[in-house]
């Protein structure tokens, strides 16, 4: 069933009987299924990193050195989660962590040369993952979908 069919069913269900509740018509359920599909596609192309690990590397590649807390904010992760992600990337030699010169409590994160090489190799795969995830949609549908999804985020 296409995304358009699901949306149509959702609208029809709301119009026909407000007392019925069908899980498959709920936004959270549909988003979770779409997310599961995307993660499966991601894993088939990039099996040695998790999506959060990739996000951390990609953002560091984009902006350069930043604090661990700022990185978490930029990639939508809480402090505990980003710490675990950074610890795992550090153990693999992909990032380095240092203390801020003035505020010693502040941890700075940066790519290592190996991390930079890895993300440069992975970015084309990430583009392919996006294309495969969005493949069921036309270019116009993709633009609309991303615009609407951004409004929910």
């Amino acid at each position: 069933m296409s995304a358009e069919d699901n949306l149509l069913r959702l609208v029809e269900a709301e119009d026909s009987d407000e007392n019925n509740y069908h899980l498959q018509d709920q936004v959270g359920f549909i988003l979770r299924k779409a997310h599961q599909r995307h993660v499966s596609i991601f894993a088939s192309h990039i099996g040695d990193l998790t999506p959060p690990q990739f996000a951390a590397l990609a953002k560091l590649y984009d902006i350069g050195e930043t604090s661990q807390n700022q990185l978490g904010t930029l990639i939508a992760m809480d402090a505990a989660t980003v710490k675990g992600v950074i610890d795992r990337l550090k153990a693999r030699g992909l990032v380095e962590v240092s203390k801020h010169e003035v505020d010693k409590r502040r941890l700075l994160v940066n790519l290592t040369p190996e991390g930079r090489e890895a993300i440069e190799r992975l970015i084309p795969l990430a583009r392919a993952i996006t294309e495969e995830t969005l493949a069921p949609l036309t270019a116009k549908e993709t633009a609309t979908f991303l615009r609407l999804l951004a409004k929910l985020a």
Side-chain angles (χ1 to χ4, degrees):
M1 183 176 289
S2 74
E4 286 181 29
D5 292 337
N6 278 338
L7 184 58
L8 193 55
R9 285 188 60 207
L10 177 62
V11 171
E12 289 172 353
E14 287 178 0
D15 290 343
S16 65
D17 186 358
E18 292 183 14
N19 295 324
N20 286 337
Y21 182 93
H22 300 283
L23 179 64
Q24 68 275 10
D25 297 329
Q26 304 309 308
V27 65
F29 183 77
I30 296 167
L31 285 171
R32 187 170 65 249
K33 284 181 63 178
H35 180 259
Q36 288 169 341
R37 179 175 173 274
H38 174 72
V39 169
S40 174
I41 293 167
F42 182 95
S44 73
H45 290 277
I46 303 176
D48 61 336
L49 289 175
T50 64
Q53 290 169 344
F54 175 82
L57 292 176
K59 187 49 75 175
L60 286 170
Y61 183 73
D62 185 35
I63 66 167
E65 184 177 65
T66 190
S67 74
Q68 184 171 292
N69 285 342
Q70 179 66 17
L71 180 62
T73 299
L74 293 170
I75 59 176
M77 282 183 214
D78 61 65
T81 302
V82 78
K83 181 187 182 322
V85 167
I86 296 304
D87 287 348
R88 286 184 285 286
L89 291 172
K90 182 180 174 192
R92 294 181 60 181
L94 299 174
V95 300
E96 56 192 5
V97 177
S98 61
K99 292 189 186 265
H100 190 273
E101 288 182 20
V102 176
D103 183 353
K104 300 296 183 192
R105 298 169 300 165
R106 191 172 178 196
L107 294 178
L108 300 176
V109 185
N110 204 358
L111 293 173
T112 62
E114 295 83 5
R116 180 168 297 283
E117 181 182 306
I119 195 63
E120 287 173 349
R121 186 181 77 256
L122 294 171
I123 286 173
L125 294 175
R127 286 189 182 106
I129 291 164
T130 296
E131 287 177 18
E132 189 174 337
T133 299
L134 297 171
L137 304 177
T138 67
K140 185 176 179 181
E141 289 170 333
T142 294
T144 300
F145 173 70
L146 292 176
R147 181 177 46 80
L148 293 173
L149 200 54
K151 287 179 83 171
L152 294 177

